[in-house]
Amino acid sequence: MTVTELGPVFFLAVVVILLVCRLVGRALRALGQPPVVGEMVAGVVLGPSVLGLLAPGLETALFPPELRPALYVAGQIGLVVFMFQTGYEFRSAGIRAVAKPAAMISGAGIFVPLALGVGLTYAVHGRVDVFPADVSVTVSALFVGVTLAITAFPMLARIITERGLTGTRFGSLSLASGAVDDALAWVLLAGVLSLTGTGAGPLVLALAGSAGLVVVLVLIARSGPRLTDLVNRRGPDELLLITVVALFLAAWYTDRIGLYAVFGAFSLGVVFPRSAPVDRAVETIAPISRIVFLPLFFTYSGLNTDFALLASPGLLLFTAGCVALAVLGKLGACWLAARLAGEEGGVALRIGTLMNARGLMQLIAINIGLAAGIVTPSMFAVLVVVALVTTVMASPMLTLWERVDARRAPDRPRAERVGAAP
């Protein structure tokens, strides 16, 4: 297929992806699911698991092999903007107010599922054919553990905002714990990726490059007021250009040192100058990325997901084990940590429920693993199931906890039932 022929195929594929994502999203929205769940499901529907099974000729015509690199690059644009916005919305000030319980919850939410994932991998390695032969068991185990430890912080924040729980104790603790959890998970994932190179060269490059990145980020953070004054003097178009150029440079740099574009995008977002003009610039690029480019990433993920690979009893059992340990290690550990920190039962349950959702963040991680050769197609399908199940669980379980509390204390306001912020 020539470049000239690829253009029309790309445009038609984008139309199909956007329409299917919107239709599936609306259908699942009626069931109380957030938009990201609809887009995750739509991506799987358009891949070999559904469309390829029902109409393989149509799937090949819509998404020929030559199209996949274009979908990957376009999806990366959506990802880096999304991760930049996630970092930009990260607020350390809100964390300080609930630092102690948030530290306990996020610590439990990272290290318990990490340990369970590592233990499961060592237990089944050599017995279940889901691991690459040329990747050490240590790297495979750490990667599975880190992916089970990830939390869908952006979705968590959106659910809290939509339900009007931002000012509650539960909302504040969940936001703080989820933000710290995600930041730690990305650092751990970067560390795992640095172990995948052959020889010392890639590891040295990753370590030296990371040190350089930290230096630049610290300089940007320390020059905050001066940098903010500088960018505020620019016009809207120039400020938008500066933001996009800085974002793509950060993504390029972290890709080149072996840590992948999303790390640079998130890190830059955390230290980027904050002001009303910058807010408007970020708000300008975010919608087109979320509505147009991000669904292309879901479809690219769906094209790499073939649930038929999980047909064997051993793989189905391994998948069930991953889901069970993911829920136990995240929901259970965060609930217990919140209770030990002195939180009420209802608050602890809600925190555990939200921290358990992996959503888009886990899809990003496993796509990185697939690109790095850490993940096989069958392991990719297993972890997609984990992401889908834990994400779909969140909204119905939150509704269930609300109904239970309403029955126990029908006269108390809703915000008080989940614990008002002190």
Side-chain angles (χ1 to χ4, degrees):
M1 185 178 293
T2 65
V3 175
T4 305
E5 293 170 332
L6 185 61
V9 174
F10 176 79
F11 290 129
L12 179 60
V14 171
V15 169
V16 171
I17 291 167
L18 297 183
L19 291 178
V20 171
C21 283
R22 183 55 58 95
L23 289 173
V24 175
R26 285 186 175 178
L28 293 181
R29 184 75 172 178
L31 301 176
Q33 295 294 339
V36 67
V37 174
E39 292 173 347
M40 290 171 66
V41 173
V44 173
V45 167
L46 291 171
S49 297
V50 180
L51 183 61
L53 184 65
L54 299 177
L58 179 59
E59 188 213 0
T60 303
L62 284 174
F63 310 110
E66 297 89 345
L67 180 66
R68 294 196 181 195
L71 287 178
Y72 176 81
V73 173
Q76 287 296 299
I77 295 174
L79 277 184
V80 296
V81 174
F82 173 82
M83 290 301 292
F84 172 76
Q85 186 181 16
T86 301
Y88 187 78
E89 292 173 354
F90 184 96
R91 293 291 188 271
S92 59
I95 295 176
R96 296 190 190 104
V98 288
K100 185 176 179 180
M104 292 181 62
I105 294 165
S106 61
I110 281 286
F111 294 110
V112 173
L114 175 63
L116 291 175
V118 169
L120 177 64
T121 302
Y122 273 103
V124 303
H125 199 275
R127 302 178 183 178
V128 181
D129 187 19
V130 291
F131 304 103
D134 57 345
V135 175
S136 72
V137 62
T138 300
V139 171
S140 294
L142 289 173
F143 182 82
V144 172
V146 170
T147 55
L148 295 189
I150 285 175
T151 288
F153 170 69
M155 192 188 82
L156 177 154
R158 188 176 303 175
I159 291 176
I160 289 173
T161 302
E162 288 178 353
R163 290 176 177 251
L165 301 171
T166 305
T168 64
R169 179 75 175 176
F170 145 67
S172 301
L173 267 174
S174 297
L175 287 171
S177 303
V180 174
D181 201 328
D182 253 7
L184 285 173
W186 288 117
V187 170
L188 290 172
L189 184 57
V192 174
L193 292 170
S194 70
L195 301 175
T196 61
T198 55
L203 179 58
V204 171
L205 177 62
L207 293 175
S210 300
L213 178 64
V214 170
V215 170
V216 172
L217 294 175
V218 169
L219 290 175
I220 293 175
R222 288 185 175 179
S223 60
R226 294 193 300 274
L227 203 55
T228 302
D229 290 340
L230 181 64
V231 297
N232 285 347
R233 295 174 193 161
R234 308 298 172 185
D237 291 349
E238 191 174 358
L239 181 53
L240 182 61
L241 176 63
I242 291 172
T243 303
V244 172
V245 167
L247 171 58
F248 283 11
L249 274 176
W252 166 81
Y253 176 79
T254 46
D255 246 338
R256 294 300 297 170
I257 64 174
L259 297 186
Y260 293 87
V262 293
F263 299 109
F266 179 81
S267 301
L268 180 67
V270 171
V271 301
F272 207 71
R274 286 167 171 78
S275 66
V278 178
D279 288 347
R280 288 192 290 271
V282 174
E283 290 168 0
T284 299
I285 60 175
I288 188 68
S289 169
R290 185 183 69 253
I291 296 170
V292 177
F293 291 108
L294 205 51
L296 306 186
F297 168 77
F298 287 109
T299 300
Y300 180 79
S301 300
L303 294 175
N304 291 319
T305 305
D306 187 356
F307 290 144
L309 297 173
L310 308 181
S312 71
L315 280 176
L316 285 175
L317 187 60
F318 176 69
T319 303
C322 280
V323 172
L325 290 184
V327 175
L328 175 66
K330 203 72 168 180
L331 193 157
C334 291
W335 166 80
L336 180 59
R339 292 292 288 155
L340 292 175
E343 301 301 324
E344 296 179 359
V347 171
L349 277 174
R350 287 168 172 81
I351 292 171
T353 299
L354 280 178
M355 295 286 284
N356 183 52
R358 271 76 175 179
L360 172 61
M361 307 304 273
Q362 188 177 43
L363 284 187
I364 296 173
I366 61 178
N367 271 277
I368 290 174
L370 187 67
I374 304 175
V375 174
T376 61
S378 53
M379 175 58 85
F380 188 91
V382 169
L383 294 175
V384 167
V385 172
V386 174
L388 282 171
V389 172
T390 57
T391 305
V392 168
M393 288 172 58
S395 290
M397 289 188 72
L398 285 175
T399 301
L400 174 63
W401 306 142
E402 289 177 0
R403 289 175 178 172
V404 170
D405 276 357
R407 292 193 191 103
R408 290 177 177 173
D411 297 328
R412 291 175 61 191
R414 181 164 166 247
E416 287 184 17
R417 288 199 295 264
V418 299

